[in-house]
Structures are given as C-alpha cells and as structure tokens.
Amino acid sequence: MRIKDFMKRAVVAMLTAAMMVTPIVSVHAATTDVIDTSKTGSITIHKYDLTAAKKGGVNVDQFTSTGKQNTAAEEALSKYAIKGVEFSYLRVGDVEQQSEGGKVQMIYEVPDELQKILDLADSDAAKKEGSKTYFTSQKINDKLASALEDNTATKDKLEEYMGKSGTAMSQTDASGVTSKDKLPLGLYLIVETKVPEDVTYTTNPWFVQLPSTDAEGDDWFYDVVCYPKNETGIPTLDKRVRNNPDQDNVTTADQNALADFTKAREEYTYQSTVTASKAEKLDYQFISKLPHITSSTTYLSTYTFNDTMSKGMTYNKDAVIAIYDSKDAADTTNVNNVDKSGALAVWKSTDKDPNFAVTYGTSGDNSTMQVVMTKNGLNEINKKYSDKYIVVYYTANVNTDDSVTLGDKGNPNDVSLTWKRTSTDYYDILKDESIVYSFGYDLTKKFSDDKGDATKVKFVIQNKSDNYYLVATGSNGVYHVTGKSATEAGATQFSPSSTGKLVINGIEADKYGFTETHSDAGYTLLKKEIIVNITSTKANITPTQANITGIQSKADTDSTANDGVVNGTELKNDVTVQTTAASATVDETKATMTKHGESNNAYVNMEITNQKQFLLPMTGGAGSYALIIAGVVIAGCGFMISRKNKKSAAK
C-alpha cells in the first residue's frame, strides 16, 4: 500500500513538474515577439559606390533595406565596395513603451543637443521624465528628413556633434564592410565621418534601433545590417601651354584680327603642345575641376600640385591662382590679365597670399614647382568652391643654351595632382603634361671649287609666319637663338665656321626665309631667299585616370580583394603620349631631318653651294689675252702712222 501511495505521489510530482516546465519553454520560444533586455545587438555596414555601380549597369533600385542581410545585393555590388570609409555611432537614448490613458506606443529618448540640431521642440515630445525627453519615431524621422533638406548645414552639425560625442567604427575594409557588436540596446545615430578621396556624396545620417522589428512586423532581431550607398567623383586635371602674346605685342584686337589664320589662332591658344624658339616666354596653366563637396566629412584635406619642368625651361616664379564658375575664362587669361578675367577669386604668390604656398626646387636636372593649398585655402575651397574650376597660371622662359632638347622628344612639363579627403590614409594622383618643341638648322656651306672661305659668308633669317628676324649669339658656326628683331637691321648675321658648318639651335616650327647677304670674293650670291618650312611634332596626350579608392595607399600586407592589383605591384599611372614626327621642306622639297642626342627630327639638313663667278675681261687669264690683242692693235696702228709720216716727208 505504501508502495502504491509512493508511486502515485511520484507520478503527480512528475506531472506537476512537467506542467511547470511547459510554459517556460513556450515563453522562450516566443522571445522574438518581445524585447529580451538581457541581450546586446550589433550593427554591420556595407559600403558601395553607387556611381560606379550605375555605370556598370547595376539596377541599384532593385534592392531594399530591411535591416537584415541581403546576399543578392552583396553579390551584385561586391566589386563596387568602397574601402576607407569611417562611420561613427552614438547611443542617443533608451527605447520605452509608453502607456497612458489606454494609449500605448513606442517612444525614444533624444538628448537636448540633438533635439536642437533636428529642431525638435518641447511641443513635439511624447513624454518628459526628469532630464529625459522622449519622442515618437515618426516625429524623429520627419524632423530628420526636414533638417536634411539643407543637406550641407545639417550634415555639418551632425558630423560635428558625432565628433564630440560619438565613437568611430573601424574603417571599411576591401569588401566595404565594418561592424560593431556587443552594443547595449537602445536608439543609435549613425553618421559617416570620414571618406576616402573619391567620395563626393556621403550617406545621410540615420537612426538604428537595437533591436529592430523585421520587415514582416513579426519579430525582433538584434543584428542589424545596413547598406548605405555613396556617390563618387574625381577632380580633373588639364595641363596646357601657349606662346605669350604680350612679348610679341599682340593685342586682343590683333588676335581677333588674326583669328582667320591657323598659325595665329594656335600660337596664342592654350594647348597640350606648342613650338617655341629659345629665349621665348611661354604661358603655362593647369586647370582642375574641384570635386563635389557636401559637408565637413567630404572636405578636402590635401590639394597639391607638383609641377616638373624639363631642364631646358626656367620658371619665372610668378604663379597666380584663379577660381572660375567655368573653364572658358581661363582660356584667354595669363598671369598679367587675371585680375580682369572675371574670376571668383584671385590668389597671387607675389602677394604672399595665405591661401596657397609655392616652393621651387629641383629633381635631378629638372626644376620643380609645388603648389600647396594651405589650411586657409582649403577652408575657402571647402566652403565656397565645390565643383568650381581652379586654375594655376605661371610663365617660363625657354633657355638659350644646350639644355633645350630639339626635335621630337621635346621639352615636357609634367604636373600631378594629389588630393585627399577626411580619410587621410587614402589618396589618389592625377597626371598630365604639356610639351614644348623646338628645332634647329644644320647647314653646310660649300664652294664649287672647294676654295672659298666660308667664314666670309653671312645669312639673315626671317620668320615668314610671324614676320620677325632671328637674333642669336654664337661663334665658330654654332648659334643659339636669343631673341627676335622686327627689322633686318637688328637681325643676326649668321656665318659658318671655317669648315662650312652653320648650326642654329632653338627655332620654332614655322616658315623661314634664308637670305645670303655676303659671300666670299669671287663667288656668286644666291638669286633669292631659300624658303624652309618646318612642321612641328604633334602629340596626342592622354592624362591618367583615377584609381580605385585607396589604391595609392596600398601596402604589401594589404589583403585587398577588389582593386585588381597584386599586393606589392607598382602602379602604372603614367601619361600616354602618342607623337607624329616633325618634318621639313626646303623650297617645297622634302628635306632630311637628323637627331639631337636621343631626339629624332631635330635639325633640318641643308647644303648651299656658291658657284665661282664668271671671269671678267679686266681680270684673270681672259684679261691677259685682251691686253696682248690690244697691244698688237696699237702697235699696228703705230706702224701705219709711221709709214704715212715717212711718205709725207719724201714728198
């Protein structure tokens, strides 16, 4: 009996225990319906380049953000990931469930400073409890959207607020991902606080609730995945050069009058290549369209130009910066008239303008110029000149010595632009160049009998295209052009060496007239001037393209997945130059052009032979015969006169 009672009691106890366990299991299974306050949450952010994705044909509108992982979006956008983006987060307050007078709703704490930024008024509050003020998500979302209508101002305020109060997440990796786990539950503000060099539009700040309700409205989940997108863009760089119109006294009216002539139009127009004589002053410029700037996160932290001039050129150290709404005005401007160009701003190095600094130096045999936007200048650019055109003007002279390279190789002037935004470990470099071409004459003077003295020969040379005469210095038949003369009287008389060699270095590609003004005694001058026409080397110059975000900062240890460059591989980031060789004609007949060092087609080869004059009766062998004949005639006449006189006397 006792055994039966014991068994009954045991069964009852087991059933009771089972009944007690059942609701516990049931409650545990339903915890996704109510928030488990003992848990923590996480935020994962995937960052993609919206601009590149659209260009790549991806329909970015097909993806919606639910807060949960979207593997389809990740696969479609994987190669458009942006590395080097920093997001900052801040837990702004608690999440509460308000129940008053039979009305139940979720409300969210927002601190005072954030209320002011979002323009949340006391009348907007759902509840005030001590120092805490709560608002509904609807009110917070509406106010945030309204505040962001003045995108830049509100973003700046939120970025500044996050800089003081928030915590930075690690920068996005090569897959564009960053995350933070073990976060206390509550309402979080997420702000993009640093971006690499090519990001133009940052994502609007947004709120995340931990945990969040899924898209179906069924459950709470604690690991939120976000897919904000960026638009990207890069600055531009265009390097150009022209002949200086001021040194040639070419007025604006003259240029307009000459506009029908190709030579005049090209000579005083900025272009990638130009031909010039030694001693000539040239106008240089590089134009850069500034990138888009939306807020302090996209501010430029570096904007630096590095200019390298070939050893045949010398900087005049007169750099001027102008900023324009468009690049059109830049085309008719140089350092002398920039004040009248309609620029939004003009900064001059000669005035020691605080907005930029210029440093001159050397790189090997070449001279260099670095133009750095200072903190003051960057502040001006960031706040005023998004998407404007910044132009650096300066002048340089072609040297009058052997440093000038003649022929197809030319005298390049390279410029690079390095820029960074707020994620300062990431940068990129654009490069472009312009080239100045100069040429020469290699003339051999001969005499028909190989006996003449070549040093007695003299030439004057007139540029028929621009109507000036060459002025040069030299000796022993080798000359370097040093200037121009408007008249023949001021022109240099070029004379060959005793071996008959006449080399003239540093002439621009134009049409020239060679006039022989003196020859050695006994030799004929040329009947008329020789017309020599040089067609300059032409170059098709392709500037570099910006690289994938952050690729310039790549280290050997970087496990970058999407940049397409093997770790440690040197980047190929050079300007491409495709040239058409120079050519020349002498009196409309194709002439041979020879090298100058490593440069092809540098000198126009010419050979001029002076013929011996015809012998005149009063000189040389022919004159001797004439004297003999004259003597015989005179003697004969005398004999006849003598006979006549004798006959007269006999009578």
Side-chain angles (χ1 to χ4, degrees):
M1 189 64 143
R2 289 181 179 177
I3 294 175
K4 289 183 179 180
D5 289 340
F6 175 78
M7 292 297 294
K8 286 181 180 179
R9 289 177 182 177
V11 171
V12 171
M14 291 174 63
L15 291 172
T16 303
M19 292 175 66
M20 292 176 66
V21 170
T22 300
I24 293 174
V25 173
S26 181
V27 169
H28 181 72
T31 53
T32 55
D33 295 325
V34 296
I35 295 176
D36 184 351
T37 56
S38 67
K39 286 188 172 185
T40 59
S42 70
I43 298 174
T44 299
I45 301 174
H46 291 253
K47 193 65 175 173
Y48 299 112
D49 182 345
L50 180 64
T51 305
K54 287 179 178 178
K55 288 182 179 178
V58 178
N59 177 15
V60 297
D61 297 327
Q62 65 180 304
F63 306 119
T64 57
S65 181
T66 64
K68 289 189 175 181
Q69 185 174 15
N70 188 330
T71 55
E74 291 174 17
E75 290 175 4
L77 299 170
S78 61
K79 67 179 181 179
Y80 305 108
I82 301 180
K83 181 181 178 183
V85 178
E86 177 192 272
F87 291 94
S88 293
Y89 66 92
L90 174 67
R91 184 182 183 277
V92 298
D94 296 329
V95 178
E96 300 288 350
Q97 183 168 303
Q98 182 185 33
S99 181
E100 292 182 356
K103 296 180 180 180
V104 181
Q105 62 181 353
M106 298 290 289
I107 56 175
Y108 304 85
E109 179 188 359
V110 179
D112 292 342
E113 188 172 355
L114 185 55
Q115 290 178 45
K116 293 177 182 177
I117 295 173
L118 300 181
D119 196 28
L120 284 165
D122 288 344
S123 58
D124 296 320
K127 177 183 178 181
K128 290 188 67 118
E129 187 175 74
S131 62
K132 296 183 178 182
T133 307
Y134 295 85
F135 301 84
T136 63
S137 61
Q138 185 67 52
K139 184 62 69 175
I140 294 171
N141 285 333
D142 289 346
K143 286 291 186 177
L144 177 62
S146 177
L148 287 174
E149 288 178 0
D150 64 347
N151 193 278
T152 299
T154 300
K155 275 189 175 180
D156 280 342
K157 292 176 183 177
L158 288 172
E159 288 162 9
E160 182 182 3
Y161 173 65
M162 191 61 72
K164 294 184 300 182
S165 307
T167 301
M169 302 172 73
S170 59
Q171 292 183 2
T172 54
D173 60 19
S175 298
V177 180
T178 183
S179 63
K180 184 66 179 177
D181 60 4
K182 299 180 181 178
L183 294 172
L185 304 185
L187 180 65
Y188 285 81
L189 175 65
I190 310 295
V191 177
E192 195 169 3
T193 46
K194 287 183 181 178
V195 294
E197 75 285 351
D198 69 349
V199 172
T200 57
Y201 283 94
T202 56
T203 302
N204 282 340
W206 75 97
F207 287 98
V208 171
Q209 179 184 337
L210 290 181
S212 289
T213 304
D214 63 19
E216 291 75 23
D218 293 337
D219 301 308
W220 292 101
F221 61 98
Y222 296 79
D223 300 307
V224 177
V225 182
C226 303
Y227 297 90
K229 303 177 184 71
N230 270 129
E231 290 192 13
T232 58
I234 58 171
T236 61
L237 182 63
D238 185 13
K239 177 75 188 183
R240 301 191 296 175
V241 61
R242 71 174 182 176
N243 300 82
N244 182 284
D246 298 325
Q247 69 176 350
D248 294 337
N249 297 316
V250 180
T251 65
T252 302
D254 291 333
Q255 291 186 61
N256 291 337
L258 293 170
D260 291 335
F261 298 95
T262 302
K263 170 64 180 150
R265 183 171 62 250
E266 289 182 353
E267 188 168 14
Y268 302 110
T269 300
Y270 286 108
Q271 52 198 311
S272 294
T273 64
V274 74
T275 178
S277 300
K278 288 188 177 183
E280 191 164 352
K281 183 179 181 180
L282 299 174
D283 291 339
Y284 284 88
Q285 65 168 212
F286 37 88
I287 303 176
S288 175
K289 184 177 182 181
L290 291 162
H292 194 72
I293 301 166
T294 55
S295 64
S296 57
T297 294
T298 59
Y299 279 179
L300 294 169
S301 61
T302 296
Y303 215 74
T304 298
F305 299 98
N306 286 288
D307 199 72
T308 302
M309 186 70 74
S310 64
K311 63 181 180 180
M313 319 287 288
T314 300
Y315 289 107
N316 286 321
K317 299 183 179 181
D318 53 2
V320 173
I321 289 179
I323 299 176
Y324 299 96
D325 269 322
S326 69
K327 66 182 295 186
D328 292 341
D331 291 338
T332 57
T333 303
N334 63 19
V335 292
N336 297 328
N337 62 11
V338 67
D339 289 319
K340 300 177 182 179
S341 65
L344 301 173
V346 176
W347 305 337
K348 297 182 179 181
S349 60
T350 52
D351 295 341
K352 297 182 179 179
D353 195 290
N355 292 311
F356 74 111
V358 183
T359 304
Y360 296 93
T362 57
S363 175
D365 294 332
N366 301 327
S367 55
T368 61
M369 176 181 71
Q370 185 180 66
V371 181
V372 178
M373 301 303 123
T374 62
K375 184 177 181 181
N376 193 74
L378 288 168
N379 186 57
E380 289 285 298
I381 290 171
N382 288 328
K383 293 186 175 179
K384 297 180 181 179
Y385 301 125
S386 170
D387 295 318
K388 304 302 182 186
Y389 290 84
I390 185 168
V391 185
V392 179
Y393 298 100
Y394 66 90
T395 66
N397 291 336
V398 184
N399 295 340
T400 57
D401 55 23
D402 287 328
S403 63
V404 180
T405 298
L406 307 183
D408 292 341
K409 188 175 181 180
N411 301 270
N413 170 219
D414 302 319
V415 66
S416 66
L417 166 64
T418 302
W419 80 97
K420 301 179 182 179
R421 295 201 191 244
T422 48
S423 192
T424 55
D425 289 337
Y426 297 87
Y427 64 94
D428 208 342
I429 299 174
L430 287 179
K431 296 179 183 179
D432 198 7
E433 75 175 32
S434 60
I435 305 175
V436 176
Y437 294 104
S438 193
F439 302 90
Y441 293 111
D442 185 347
L443 186 151
T444 301
K445 183 64 181 176
K446 292 186 174 183
F447 298 92
S448 60
D449 60 357
D450 296 327
K451 294 181 180 179
D453 183 354
T455 63
K456 303 296 185 182
V457 177
K458 296 186 187 302
F459 293 95
V460 293
I461 303 172
Q462 183 184 24
N463 184 309
K464 295 291 188 178
S465 301
D466 292 339
N467 193 29
Y468 68 81
Y469 291 86
L470 292 184
V471 176
T473 59
S475 62
N476 198 30
V478 179
Y479 292 84
H480 294 276
V481 174
T482 58
K484 305 173 182 180
S485 172
T487 63
E488 184 175 348
T492 294
Q493 299 276 330
F494 293 94
S495 182
S497 67
S498 60
T499 62
K501 272 293 183 182
L502 174 59
V503 177
I504 304 172
N505 296 286
I507 58 172
E508 60 183 316
D510 271 330
K511 180 185 287 186
Y512 291 86
F514 279 67
T515 301
E516 189 175 39
T517 59
H518 296 80
S519 185
D520 194 11
Y523 296 89
T524 58
L525 289 170
L526 297 176
K527 176 183 179 181
K528 60 182 180 180
E529 65 182 353
I530 303 168
I531 301 299
V532 182
N533 198 355
I534 303 175
T535 301
S536 179
T537 313
K538 291 293 184 182
N540 182 16
I541 300 174
T542 305
T544 60
Q545 298 294 316
N547 291 287
I548 297 170
T549 304
I551 196 171
Q552 296 285 2
S553 311
K554 186 177 174 60
D556 290 352
T557 57
D558 188 354
S559 59
T560 300
N562 300 313
D563 57 24
V565 178
V566 177
N567 289 341
T569 301
E570 184 178 354
L571 295 172
K572 295 182 184 289
N573 194 27
D574 295 322
V575 175
T576 301
V577 180
Q578 294 179 320
T579 59
T580 301
S583 61
T585 60
V586 176
D587 287 336
E588 300 185 351
T589 301
K590 182 176 175 61
T592 301
M593 296 188 75
T594 53
K595 283 188 171 185
H596 175 241
E598 298 177 356
S599 184
N600 294 324
N601 300 303
Y603 290 103
V604 180
N605 290 132
M606 301 172 63
E607 183 179 297
I608 299 175
T609 301
N610 281 145
Q611 297 292 325
K612 191 73 175 173
Q613 292 185 24
F614 289 100
L615 295 176
L616 299 177
M618 296 301 294
T619 61
S624 298
Y625 289 119
L627 288 172
I628 292 170
I629 294 169
V632 171
V633 171
I634 293 170
C637 292
F639 175 75
M640 292 175 67
I641 293 170
S642 177
R643 285 189 62 187
K644 186 177 180 181
N645 289 338
K646 285 181 179 181
K647 287 182 178 181
S648 298
K651 290 180 180 180

